[in-house]
Amino acid sequence: MYIPLLDLSRQYDFIKEYVDEAIEEVLASQRFIGGPKVEACEKEVATYCECAYGVGVSSGSDALLIALMAEEIGPGDEVVTTPYTFFATAGAIARVGATPVFVDIDPVTYNLDPTQIQDAITDKTRAIIPVHLFGQMLEMSPLLAISRKYGLVVIEDAAQAIGARYRRIYNRNMAGSMGDYGCFSFFPTKNLGCFGDGGMVITNDKERAEKLKILRSHGASPKYHHALVGGNFRLDALQAAIVLAKLPFLDSWIKRRQDNASRYNNLFSSSSLIDRGKVELPEIVTERHVFNQYVIRAKQRDALRSFLKEQGIATEVYYPVPLHLQKCFAYLNYASEDFPVSEQAANVSLALPIFPELTDDEAVYIVEKILAFYQN
Ligand SMILES: *Cc1c(COP(=O)(O)O)cnc(C)c1O
């Protein structure tokens, strides 16, 4: 048995006719930059996220970058974020010349702990970038209260969380729609992936949407007249067509990811692993967790991971080195133990296969092997 962390070919077998047709339409039109597919994709994704405007961009990383550029955040400015995320979150802050300021995470959800944000705010703070890690939104309500109090821009990094929902009691409660900007990635491993790189920024603010559109084409408005320095951050029509063709399936894929998570939870709960303190399961504390990843905490994590690899089971560690300890951020002068919860998570977290097409037999096999590892 070989079980990959993600098997995109199983998904492609299922949607091939729709996706191939969408690609052929673009080929027939020979319209590769901008055009109706990009516009439709922006509209549909924004609508799905219950947000007013969508601006297609070249990647999730560029979505973050262009949002910071639109706010003219740069040298001398500070942006608060989490050290426990994919590099791009803090990378974007550094790339505009601003300073990332890290705040530790909540021990249950791995998401930025909003109760610690206040202490990180200075008169240089311009923005907060919360990350909805693994597919679950963080506690947006206290974060938004702080952002209002200090007049800070909120740029949601929702790359792993398209379709996630916070709490229905709020008027806006979908991932990406609650802050000033919501950033998505269509990287193939995300829940809504394209066939290459792609991303989107969503916003409820018309002026911000217009500025983003100008910035993604070198700041030109009209063509060849540049009031701003932007870049080439466009989403191309082929990728937009693929996203559009896949979007109608997203909810069913999310459902299957959730079902897989429940199946794991049941299998683990009926074993002795939790009682014996060997593994801890992910917790759902918001309305809708979309399980881009199913991450457990495991004793002897690295040995378990090697053992599973020998049994043909792929796993991944998100993330082995928190960002405050990365070499490229040494100039920020953080030290080990500055963010103990993140550092602890880096040592024990383990992502198991959770993709929608994972079978019963595969999930059972994975949990059996984990049980076998701890029996030795
Ligand atoms: C994937 C990801 C990104 C970057 O998206 P790309 O499309 O790969 O550039 C940013 N932030 C988080 C949290 C991600 O998981």
Side-chain angles (χ1 to χ4, degrees), residues 59-61 64 85-86 88-89 131 133 157 159-160 185-187 190 197-198 319:
S59 67
S61 305
L64 294 161
T85 175
F86 179 59
T89 317
V131 181
L133 205 67
D157 181 340
Q160 300 182 9
S185 165
F186 304 131
F187 189 76
K190 311 294 181 180
D197 280 306
Y319 295 91

Side-chain angles (χ1 to χ4, degrees), residues 283-295:
E283 281 184 38
I284 303 173
V285 300
T286 53
E287 173 92 23
R288 191 185 196 210
H289 188 327
V290 297
F291 283 104
N292 182 236
Q293 302 297 344
Y294 180 90
V295 176

Side-chain angles (χ1 to χ4, degrees), residues 191 253-261 290-292 354 356:
N191 284 10
W253 290 329
I254 289 172
K255 175 74 171 56
R256 295 178 72 157
R257 286 175 177 274
Q258 293 168 330
D259 290 347
N260 290 341
V290 297
F291 283 104
N292 182 236
I354 185 77

